[in-house]
Amino acid sequence: MSRKQSLKLQLSFKENIRDLEIYTFLLDEIKDTLGISTYIKMLISKDEKFISYTKK
């Protein structure tokens, strides 16, 4: 039986003000509604760089 490759990427945060604010926001506002990965994928799908990449 072949082993499946995981498509998971780890998201890490540093202990600085900006990262801690983002981390807290994700836990307080996003985690129990959309889910963190869904929220991040939604943001990326609206990014101009990603849109340009998919049009290549």
Side-chain angles (χ1 to χ4, degrees):
M1 197 174 226
S2 66
R3 188 174 176 161
K4 292 183 181 180
Q5 180 179 354
S6 175
L7 293 177
K8 294 180 181 182
L9 294 174
Q10 181 178 354
L11 181 62
S12 61
F13 296 90
K14 296 184 175 161
E15 290 186 24
N16 60 45
I17 300 270
R18 185 199 68 158
D19 281 14
L20 290 174
E21 287 176 339
I22 292 169
Y23 179 77
T24 303
F25 168 74
L26 290 172
L27 290 181
D28 291 348
E29 302 291 329
I30 302 301
K31 184 178 180 197
D32 294 330
T33 55
L34 288 172
I36 293 171
S37 14
T38 300
Y39 181 71
I40 291 170
K41 287 183 259 185
M42 285 173 47
L43 291 175
I44 292 170
S45 70
K46 295 177 182 179
D47 185 273
E48 289 180 23
K49 203 168 197 176
F50 176 73
I51 293 168
S52 171
Y53 173 81
T54 57
K55 290 182 179 179
K56 289 182 183 178

